[in-house]
Amino acid sequence: MAERETAIRAVAQLADHVHWVREWPDKPTWRDRLHRWTYPEFYRFDPTATPPRPWVDRPAGAYERTGWRIRAAYSGPDLAFEVEYVVCDLCEIGWVESPHSYAGYARCGLATAALRSLRRAYPGVQWHTGGGHFRDSEPFWESVSVDVPGGYTQQERCHHVEPWRAQ
């Protein structure tokens, strides 16, 4: 058990080392398709492969929020944590939504590390949420909002950011 906790803490410490992707590999890219067509005997595509770094930043998918990104942490091949976010460069405001630790990874510091990493990636940005906070999550938001511009308080998104719409 101590090994697992040490591994999770190591993932939290690497939160600033993010692998940025334009598209999530749930389907092959054009290069993958070309490789499959050119050398079919050597082609291997595994959408469940472990990402090259424990932290991945990817666009939200078609059934998620348009224009938003997801910062996710992996412990080996397991998805441990995700948070959705969007930043308006014009207004210098960012919004985070739905931070979620998966089973076995709650209260390991991944959410705090992810939010800190986003603040470092976008300096000078005020951080808010679009929705209210659940009563049982208020202690979390109070602890991570200390000295954070905006304080993760509820605020409507500006008109530069496309509003979330159910697909």
Side-chain angles (χ1 to χ4, degrees):
M1 192 61 145
E3 273 183 37
R4 184 174 181 280
E5 289 176 8
T6 303
I8 295 169
R9 285 196 180 105
V11 169
Q13 290 176 350
L14 293 171
D16 288 333
H17 302 280
V18 179
H19 178 73
W20 291 77
V21 291
R22 283 188 228 147
E23 296 178 14
W24 192 239
D26 55 355
K27 61 180 182 248
T29 64
W30 68 268
R31 285 191 175 123
D32 291 321
R33 291 183 185 115
L34 178 64
H35 189 250
R36 180 178 59 198
W37 182 72
T38 310
Y39 304 104
E41 64 277 6
F42 298 116
Y43 176 75
R44 299 286 180 269
F45 177 76
D46 183 7
T48 63
T50 303
R53 293 188 184 147
W55 288 90
V56 174
D57 197 293
R58 67 173 177 87
Y63 298 106
E64 295 158 320
R65 298 168 190 210
T66 306
W68 288 59
R69 295 191 64 83
I70 294 176
R71 180 70 56 103
Y74 288 82
S75 181
D78 296 336
L79 179 58
F81 172 80
E82 306 184 285
V83 64
E84 298 176 44
Y85 75 95
V86 67
V87 174
C88 177
D89 293 325
L90 295 171
C91 297
E92 294 183 335
I93 299 175
W95 292 265
V96 294
E97 289 289 329
S98 309
H100 180 72
S101 295
Y102 288 89
Y105 296 99
R107 302 197 184 334
C108 295
L110 296 175
T112 302
L115 296 175
R116 184 181 315 119
S117 175
L118 287 172
R119 291 192 306 269
R120 287 181 185 151
Y122 298 95
V125 169
Q126 288 188 26
W127 289 96
H128 296 279
T129 60
H133 302 163
F134 292 113
R135 182 167 287 146
D136 59 346
S137 70
E138 286 176 0
F140 164 76
W141 288 110
E142 288 173 9
S143 69
V144 297
S145 66
V146 174
D147 296 329
V148 174
Y152 298 111
T153 55
Q154 184 176 356
Q155 180 172 323
E156 296 261 340
R157 286 183 293 279
C158 68
H159 66 279
H160 304 116
V161 176
E162 183 174 336
W164 179 80
R165 54 190 149 90
Q167 301 276 335

